[in-house]
Each structure stands twice: as C-alpha cells, then as structure tokens.
Amino acid sequence: MSSSCAVQLGLKRADTDLTGPPFAEPAILSAMNEQGQITQVSQWPERREFLKQQLSEYVYGPYPSGVKAHQIGHKLIDENYANGAGRLEEYTIQIGENGPRFHVGLVLPQSAGVETPAPLIVAQSFCQNSAALHHDGLTAPEAGGVCGGGGIMASIIKLIFGEYIEGPPIEAVLKRGYAYATIYSSEIAADNAETAHIGIEKIASQTSPENAPVGVISAWAAGYGWALDVLDQDMRMDTARTAAWGHSRQGKAALWGAAHDDRIEAIIAHQSGTGGATLTKSLNGESVKKITEEYPHWFNDAYASYSKRESDIPIDQHALIALVAPRPVLLGNSWNDVWSDPNGAFRAAQGADPAYKLLGVKGLAQSGMKDADITKGELAFQISKGHHGIREYDWEDFLTFLDAWFFPNES
Ligand code: GCU
C-alpha cells in the first residue's frame, strides 16, 4: 500500500489537539487600505467581496453568478417511501436556457405541507440519486452512475467508508422532520478530468465571460443555488431553514456555494479537506500538488501553480469559512482522517472566527478540537472517532447541529 493510500484510508491519526497560536495570517479583518483593522460591520461587505475575488483568482476560478435555473419536470415516484415515512419525488432542472440539465431526488416527510413546511437539506453526492436514495424509480444519469449495485465491492466500500457513504439514514432524517434533496454532481459537470469540460462549457455559454467557470467545484457550488431556484417555489419546504450538505469533494462545493448564495442558511461540510475547510498552508494531509495532479478539473490553473510553494498563496481557506459568516456551519472531521487534515480545519475555523465575532454572533465557541459540544456556536467543529467516510454517529451530529438552529425550541 502506498503511503498516500494509507493516509487516505486513515491508517494514521491526526494531531491530537491544537498546539501553538491560532492561525491568523493573512488576518481576515485586515483593512484593504492603510486604516488598519476592520472594526465596523459596515466595512465587512467590501472586505468580503475582496476575499471572494481572491478565492476565485487563486483557487476556484469564477463562480457562475447570474445564471438561473428552472423546472422542466416534476413527478411523484413513491408516496410510501422509506416504509411510509416520506414521499419520494423528482424534479428535473434546466440550468439557464441551454446549460446542463440535472435531477433532484426529493424526499419529504409526510407531515410537510404548505401550513407546515419542512426545513430542507440540499445535498450533493458523487453517487447517482437512485443509489443515494436507494430507489430505482429515480432517473438514471445519461452517463451512468458510479455507486450501488450491491455485491462484494459495495460491501467493501461501505466497510471502509461507512454505511452512509452513498446516502443518508433517510428514515432518521425524515423522523426528525427534514426534507432531503439530493443531486448527482456529475450531472452538472462530470467529475472526470477528460469530460468535465462539457458541462463547464455549457454553463459558461449561459453566463458572461467574467463569470464563466473553469473548474467543477465552482459549477457544483452553484448547483446548490440552481436547485433552490426551483425548490424555493415549492411551499411544502421552508426557505428560511435551508442547509447545504456535502461530504469531502462536495463539502468543498457546499462551502463555496454558500459563500455566494445567502439563501443557504446553514452548511455542513464534512471532511472537506484541502480546497475546502482546511488551510492550504498547513502542509498536513493532502498537498496542492497531489490534489491538482489527481483532480485537475476541480480548480483553476492558478491553484496548481502553488504546488510545492503553498506558503506563497495570497489567500487561505479560513477566508472561505469567513464568507459564510454569520450563518451556522458545521465542519465535520475524523481523528483518523489525516488526509483531510482536521487540525488545519480547526485552525481555519480560528482564522475565520473574527468575522463571526464582528457580525455579533458567538462563532467558534468550542475550546479546542476535543470539545464535543457542537451546539455552542455558529461555527462548529465536529470530530468523530472514525476514518474518512460517513457513519451513523456522523449523521446523529449533523442533525443535532441543524436542530439547534432550525428547531431551537425543541433542542
Ligand atoms: C480524494 C481527494 C480529496 C477529496 C476526497 C473525496 O481523497 O484527494 O480531496 O476530498 O477524494 O471526495 O472523498
């Protein structure tokens, strides 16, 4: 087994706790002129735009702003889904006039209605919707999917990456009162270095040259908002309680999407790692060289140019977290997922925290990586005992975190 494979499988353990000073450079509240630190909320929008522009320039490339999506299909798939706990429906969505089309597998608790709208979790997955929601009635992607199928391989994958790597424990999600929408990211732009350009170019054709995406993370990031263009019209869901959820590569997209779209009220970015919640400059876990060689289609070319010279990059990922302030965000991690660098994510949270405090909320209220109370502040750090992957206890934490903000009187 190669050493990088060993770390990906979590055969090493992350630093047990944070030592040394919090990460603070470049300071998130540095003024853009000679006047020193930003101290007024009124100064934040300009600083925020600057940080967004820097992340576009050095990491992700442009985010496709200004492109709207609309519904071109909606059907009921199963009104007794999950042993009757919910209804399974499907929306077909068109990006712009001629951009890619994608499907949303939507599960609603039976209690959801116009008078009793359900809070919504919008998820993206590397699995096609039929595998994420375990139902063959959902439309298969044109290029086929990569998950499901049962057999020994599927069992091995679940053993390594957790029982919920393909999709959530949907009955538990429904029972807690949430609607759940899932998108197969590759329908928007393929997660494939050779074919990603097809979706990217189609999206680019719908927007102005300065907003034309070059990497799939920007395209997927906008996918959350494109789903909301349609789902927000459906009154059975509560638009004021909408969370974006993503694991790993989709966690990177969830954060970048929320940075641009304030219809997203809360974010769960699980094990988002390099190019997500973890500091590029931390030098633990996945390097810029590794990620940009393996996944050249995720970012812009500038990011790859910081390979082996991470310390030169003018912006770091604490800025990405600061861009979602003051909204609740849960950064999910596991002690043995060294590849995703939990320590770097905690320091990024510390670096982002001044933006939360400036905006008058608690922000990062946990005392360190081991403080397990994820409901203390809007900027929460979860660390579980496992490896890279999604397990029952992770979902328990995700729902506990969302409950604290979306059902405050009940938790
Ligand atoms: C790879 C990649 C990570 C990514 C992960 C995932 O391990 O190196 O950056 O987050 O896949 O999406 O599971």
Side-chain angles (χ1 to χ4, degrees):
M1 186 182 287
S2 73
S3 61
S4 88
C5 199
V7 257
Q8 272 186 277
L9 294 180
L11 303 181
K12 282 167 81 180
R13 195 179 147 88
D15 293 345
T16 48
D17 211 340
L18 181 80
T19 49
F23 178 83
E25 185 266 339
I28 211 70
L29 299 182
S30 296
M32 290 161 59
N33 49 36
E34 300 304 308
Q35 290 158 10
Q37 286 287 102
I38 288 177
T39 53
Q40 306 294 319
V41 176
S42 60
Q43 296 169 296
W44 178 240
E46 190 192 0
R47 175 76 183 154
R48 198 174 176 275
E49 278 315 303
F50 175 75
L51 297 173
K52 253 204 259 184
Q53 177 267 317
Q54 292 255 300
L55 284 166
S56 296
E57 185 170 342
Y58 296 109
V59 183
Y60 303 107
Y63 172 93
S65 305
V67 185
K68 286 280 170 204
H70 59 275
Q71 171 187 330
I72 51 171
H74 178 212
K75 63 182 180 189
L76 173 66
I77 309 267
D78 186 349
E79 58 188 339
N80 279 307
Y81 176 70
N83 298 315
R87 286 166 68 81
L88 175 62
E89 302 180 7
E90 182 178 79
Y91 276 100
T92 308
I93 295 179
Q94 170 71 54
I95 301 168
E97 291 312 312
N98 297 304
R101 285 181 181 178
F102 64 100
H103 297 88
V104 173
L106 173 67
V107 184
L108 290 152
Q110 298 292 8
S111 58
V114 177
E115 300 294 322
T116 49
L120 171 66
I121 301 170
V122 183
Q124 291 200 40
S125 177
F126 63 91
C127 291
Q128 71 275 24
N129 296 350
S130 59
L133 294 175
H134 304 292
H135 200 294
D136 289 339
L138 291 158
T139 304
E142 266 174 36
V146 294
C147 301
I152 183 85
M153 219 31 228
S155 308
I156 292 173
I157 286 175
K158 285 190 183 169
L159 200 69
I160 298 174
F161 295 110
E163 193 183 344
Y164 296 108
I165 190 65
E166 289 187 341
I170 196 69
E171 283 189 40
V173 172
L174 291 167
K175 205 163 151 205
R176 301 273 279 260
Y178 291 88
Y180 185 87
T182 191
I183 301 162
Y184 178 46
S185 308
S186 282
E187 278 197 313
I188 296 172
D191 191 5
N192 178 307
E194 264 81 63
T195 56
H197 71 96
I198 300 170
I200 294 286
E201 284 161 15
K202 275 188 168 184
I203 296 165
S205 75
Q206 304 302 294
T207 184
S208 55
E210 67 274 17
N211 291 334
V214 293
V216 296
I217 290 182
S218 273
W220 296 346
Y224 288 97
W226 289 324
L228 291 179
D229 287 345
V230 172
L231 297 177
D232 274 1
Q233 312 298 314
D234 185 331
M235 306 311 268
R236 296 168 301 169
M237 287 165 282
D238 183 356
T239 52
R241 291 182 292 165
T242 299
W245 180 96
H247 163 71
S248 214
R249 63 198 69 189
Q250 275 85 19
K252 308 179 207 296
L255 286 166
W256 186 228
H260 291 270
D261 198 326
D262 58 14
R263 290 172 299 176
I264 298 169
E265 300 287 332
I267 306 97
I268 295 177
H270 186 240
Q271 300 178 337
S272 61
T274 301
T278 288
L279 295 171
T280 300
K281 289 180 183 152
S282 94
L283 302 183
N284 295 320
E286 186 173 21
S287 64
V288 169
K289 181 171 185 332
K290 279 270 178 206
I291 200 167
T292 55
E293 280 179 3
E294 187 84 18
Y295 307 100
H297 56 296
W298 285 2
F299 304 98
N300 65 3
D301 291 343
Y303 195 50
S305 76
Y306 292 97
S307 166
K308 296 199 157 181
R309 54 178 200 105
E310 279 90 347
S311 56
D312 290 344
I313 196 165
I315 189 76
D316 213 327
Q317 297 301 111
H318 61 313
L320 179 64
I321 303 170
L323 286 175
V324 309
R327 290 166 285 171
V329 56
L330 181 68
L331 308 177
N333 301 271
S334 294
W335 285 112
N336 292 314
D337 183 21
V338 181
W339 189 246
S340 302
D341 186 15
N343 192 295
F346 191 80
R347 288 187 291 144
Q350 290 180 313
D353 189 42
Y356 276 82
K357 301 276 198 291
L358 175 78
L359 298 173
V361 297
K362 287 188 202 144
L364 184 66
Q366 288 157 275
S367 54
M369 288 171 73
K370 286 181 185 161
D371 182 342
D373 188 350
I374 54 172
T375 62
K376 277 183 183 165
E378 296 77 7
L379 175 43
F381 185 86
Q382 177 243 14
I383 188 152
S384 66
K385 61 189 172 199
H387 302 253
H388 194 71
I390 314 172
R391 299 175 173 81
E392 192 175 353
Y393 45 74
D394 293 314
W395 266 101
E396 187 51 47
D397 284 347
F398 302 159
L399 296 173
T400 298
F401 176 73
L402 289 183
D403 282 357
W405 302 103
F406 289 172
F407 293 104
N409 301 326
E410 291 168 37
S411 47

